[in-house]
Every structure is written in C-alpha cells, then in structure tokens.
Amino acid sequence: MTVVHQIIGYDRRTECEVVNYDVPRAYLDFVKKIAGVESDDPDAVGSYPLTQNQAMTIIHVIGKHLVNDFDGIIYFLEPYEDEDISLSSEETWRNNSGAHNS
C-alpha cells in the first residue's frame, strides 16, 4: 500500500475537516521541508501542524487555491493510504461547505 499526503484543513470552532489538498509526489520533499518533518520520519507518517504561512506557501506551490475563510482553518500535513482517499479535494470542500455544482 502506498502512503500519500494531503494538507488537511479543520474548522477552528468545530474541528471538522472542511478542505483537503492532495500533495503531488513531485512536491513531497519540498512540502516535508516546509512542514518541518524531521529526519527520523522520512516517510512523513506523522501528522504535522502547519502555521498559516506554511500552509499558504504549500497550497500556492502545489497550484491550489485558498478557501475564503483561511483564518478560520487550522492546517496539517497528514499521511493516508491511497485506497482511503475516496473524494477529491474539491468534492470534499463542496460537500462540507454546502456548495453545489452549476
């Protein structure tokens, strides 16, 4: 099973997941460096809290857009087994925000 990584955003008030961004494998080393992943966790299997600056930098570099309520969200770098990811980042945001396809 392959481990993949995401930037997960949780609502500060409810602690519910409100957004996630897949980290492309090509950017993983950069993302691990920005997130402060230590050398004793080379596969980044831990959960790493991100400052707003770290999250903003990573999200921008991987080519994604920030959500409107950026200040209301706490971000983490988190690992997942690839088969556990069933929704794309946009689908998760849409499902949690009540937004609809046009």
Side-chain angles (χ1 to χ4, degrees):
M1 199 139 324
T2 302
V3 174
V4 294
H5 294 80
Q6 293 183 322
I7 303 301
I8 308 290
Y10 298 93
D11 183 287
R12 289 183 185 274
R13 290 174 295 127
T14 65
E15 298 182 356
C16 292
E17 181 181 326
V18 292
V19 66
N20 64 58
Y21 303 93
D22 292 335
V23 175
R25 215 172 277 292
Y27 293 100
L28 185 56
D29 286 339
F30 170 81
V31 170
K32 289 189 320 186
K33 182 177 179 179
I34 295 297
V37 175
E38 298 292 330
S39 60
D40 63 347
D41 186 11
D43 295 325
V45 295
S47 178
Y48 292 88
L50 302 170
T51 66
Q52 286 188 328
N53 285 340
Q54 288 171 314
M56 202 169 15
T57 298
I58 293 168
I59 292 166
H60 174 75
V61 166
I62 64 175
K64 302 297 180 178
H65 299 284
L66 296 172
V67 297
N68 291 338
D69 187 18
F70 184 75
D71 291 333
I73 299 173
I74 298 172
Y75 289 92
F76 292 83
L77 171 63
E78 296 185 358
Y80 284 89
E81 293 180 357
D82 61 355
E83 71 182 16
D84 291 340
I85 299 172
S86 59
L87 295 177
S88 73
S89 301
E90 289 182 17
E91 289 172 321
T92 299
W93 172 249
R94 197 171 20 256
N95 290 342
N96 288 324
S97 69
H100 301 285
N101 286 335
S102 317

